[in-house]
Amino acid sequence: MNNFTFYSPTYFAFGKDEENKVGALVKRFGGSKVLIHYGGGSVVRSGLLGRVKASLETEGLPYVELGGVKPNPRSGLVYEGIELCKREGVDFILAVGGGSTIDSSKAIAAGVVYEGDFWDFYSGKTIEKALPVGTILTIAAAGSEGSPDSVITNEDGMYKRGASGDAIRPKFSILNPALTQTLPPYQTACGITDIMAHLYERYLTNTKEVEVTDRLIEALLLTMIHEGPRVIENPDNYDARANIMWAGMMAHNNAVGVGRSQDWNSHNIEHELSALYDCAHGAGLAVTMPAVFHYVMNHDVMRFAKVAVRVWGCQMDFDHPEVTAKAGIEALRNFLISIGMPKNFAELGAKEEDIPKLVDVLVNGNGRSGSISGFVSLNAEDCANIYRLMV
Ligand code: NZQ
Ligand code: ZN
């Protein structure tokens, strides 16, 4: 196991009706004027936004609002949010929604207290300072509610990049599984896929002797395999949604990723798809992961065989471990298809003729120098081969 530090100071309030405490929590974490940031309207239709405003009003907290965050959140609204916060003297950003709203909120929080262009952070500069951010999560997926990360699409070129820094870890996150019951099944399945991807991207490591985190990841994957179909079958199953919601947080606050190298090639390869075609991140990952895994499998076939046996219940073939490894990848693919995820470029709305463009932005865009690195280092030809496997 590698040396590591782990600092994850988010306060979590989990369970039914917890969102009604939001005003008190904003006060507790130092807010006196709030930006309520939200997406395309699901929180208005569900009545959640009204309850949030009532809670802030009860605590005597003034607020301004900025809705309209799109899935795969855009740089334009971030600039608008930064200007609004400066103009209004906002000192606390409250994200009410999914990963896109939370990531847009984090970008605004960092941009308000920075002299330069906030995109500097999405080009490699660490976020050292930001306004405090609180979240009320409405979809279990991205894990942004407990992560130090934010992913934004730059509208000048339509490419997607991430930024990081402990300063943007949410001060508090309210997780009420009942709020996810209004999700369409497709979005629920996209969230399940993203959570599983966050686990796989950590499982694929080149670090030896990491049994504790291997076992934790396997437990979370088994939980997703058990609870995923239950929630797709019955969207009102609160307990299944509760387990998925906490698994989503655990999968990405890095508790299960410490002390080990991680992959993230599937995420990088997918991000170009959701940036160009505006598909859901989870749906893109459902198509990307099996292709990447088949392509890199021989780098450490026993690691793929291990997850196949321990998580997917495949029979170990000691003479031909690659057979076991492949069976595990196919089990993952079939599981994702069974919950309603796409299986190829066509179902995703992606086009084969765009592959050269996708590869170029992926390996050369925004300061990269011809390859991406992770479990295996992949050059332009590798990435093109992987995209072709998805067709
Ligand atoms: O915009 P509204 O109207 O709210 O609708 C949203 C949106 O259309 C809808 N939705 C959310 N909660 C709902 C609901 N509809 C009905 N009832 C509810 N309770 O679902 C749609 C998707 O929302 P979005 O916020 O985009 O989903 P998600 O949480 O999957 O976030 C995806 C974004 O997170 C990034 C992705 O790249 C993508 O841009 N990621 C962020 C990470 C991080 N910050 O740590 C890590 C991830 O790997 C990921 O890359
Ligand atoms: Zn993800």
Side-chain angles (χ1 to χ4, degrees), residues 142 194 198 267 281 285:
D194 194 18
H198 296 161
H267 265 68
H281 169 60
L285 285 167

Side-chain angles (χ1 to χ4, degrees), residues 8-14 18 25 145-147 171-175 246 249 253:
S8 178
T10 304
Y11 176 100
F12 291 100
F14 190 101
E18 289 293 314
L25 283 174
E145 67 277 13
S147 84
K171 298 291 173 230
F172 68 80
S173 282
I174 296 176
L175 273 54
W246 194 239
M249 202 299 295
N253 84 333

Side-chain angles (χ1 to χ4, degrees), residues 39-43 45 69-73 97-101 103 106 138-139 141-144 147 149-151 160 179-184 187 194 198 252 264 267 270-271 274 281:
S42 72
V43 301
R45 291 189 294 278
V69 180
K70 293 191 172 132
N72 308 314
S100 296
T101 293
D103 286 2
K106 287 173 170 178
T138 61
I139 172 171
S144 190
S147 84
D149 310 314
S150 159
V151 184
K160 214 174 176 187
L179 296 178
T180 69
Q181 284 172 206
T182 53
L183 277 165
Q187 288 296 343
D194 194 18
H198 296 161
H252 204 48
W264 302 103
H267 265 68
E270 189 293 314
H271 280 162
S274 48
H281 169 60

Side-chain angles (χ1 to χ4, degrees), residues 30-303:
S32 64
K33 180 147 188 195
V34 182
L35 170 72
I36 310 177
H37 200 31
Y38 57 93
S42 72
V43 301
V44 180
R45 291 189 294 278
S46 68
L48 174 60
L49 190 65
R51 296 204 295 287
V52 168
K53 288 180 187 173
S55 177
L56 295 180
E57 282 158 18
T58 304
E59 296 294 333
L61 286 166
Y63 55 80
V64 290
E65 292 175 47
L66 181 63
V69 180
K70 293 191 172 132
N72 308 314
R74 312 287 166 92
S75 49
L77 197 67
V78 174
Y79 289 114
E80 207 181 302
I82 292 169
E83 285 315 307
L84 177 65
C85 289
K86 285 183 176 167
R87 205 166 56 237
E88 295 285 341
V90 163
D91 62 10
F92 196 99
I93 315 287
L94 179 62
V96 187
S100 296
T101 293
I102 299 173
D103 286 2
S104 184
S105 298
K106 287 173 170 178
I108 293 171
V112 172
V113 295
Y114 181 60
E115 303 262 299
D117 183 344
F118 93 92
W119 193 257
D120 291 348
F121 300 121
Y122 295 77
S123 310
K125 192 178 168 70
T126 302
I127 301 175
E128 309 273 4
K129 213 173 136 207
L131 289 184
V133 176
T135 87
I136 302 178
L137 185 65
T138 61
I139 172 171
S144 190
E145 67 277 13
S147 84
D149 310 314
S150 159
V151 184
I152 301 289
T153 299
N154 193 326
E155 281 158 297
D156 185 8
M158 291 312 277
Y159 60 94
K160 214 174 176 187
R161 291 292 181 266
S164 260
D166 281 326
I168 55 168
R169 276 190 193 268
K171 298 291 173 230
F172 68 80
S173 282
I174 296 176
L175 273 54
N176 174 358
L179 296 178
T180 69
Q181 284 172 206
T182 53
L183 277 165
Y186 185 77
Q187 288 296 343
T188 298
C190 287
I192 290 168
T193 308
D194 194 18
I195 293 167
M196 293 177 79
H198 296 161
L199 295 165
Y200 262 94
E201 300 266 31
R202 289 179 167 86
Y203 201 82
L204 297 183
T205 185
N206 293 309
T207 311
K208 304 290 176 216
E209 302 286 351
V210 284
E211 193 64 5
V212 64
T213 40
D214 272 0
R215 290 290 190 184
L216 288 167
I217 294 170
E218 290 159 11
L220 290 165
L221 281 171
L222 285 164
T223 302
M224 299 308 294
I225 294 165
H226 178 69
E227 301 292 17
R230 295 211 309 156
V231 88
I232 296 295
E233 196 175 305
N234 177 10
D236 293 330
N237 186 332
Y238 176 87
D239 292 312
R241 287 204 178 270
N243 281 304
I244 290 172
M245 201 168 210
W246 194 239
M249 202 299 295
M250 289 293 294
H252 204 48
N253 84 333
N254 212 30
V256 302
V258 293
R260 53 196 289 149
S261 72
Q262 302 180 7
D263 187 0
W264 302 103
N265 279 337
S266 292
H267 265 68
N268 284 323
I269 290 170
E270 189 293 314
H271 280 162
E272 303 311 338
L273 298 173
S274 48
L276 189 62
Y277 305 111
D278 212 12
C279 57
H281 169 60
L285 285 167
V287 179
T288 305
M289 276 191 289
V292 173
F293 297 170
H294 277 299
Y295 195 79
V296 305
M297 193 187 85
N298 290 330
H299 173 69
D300 186 351
V301 79
M302 288 308 286
R303 182 143 281 275

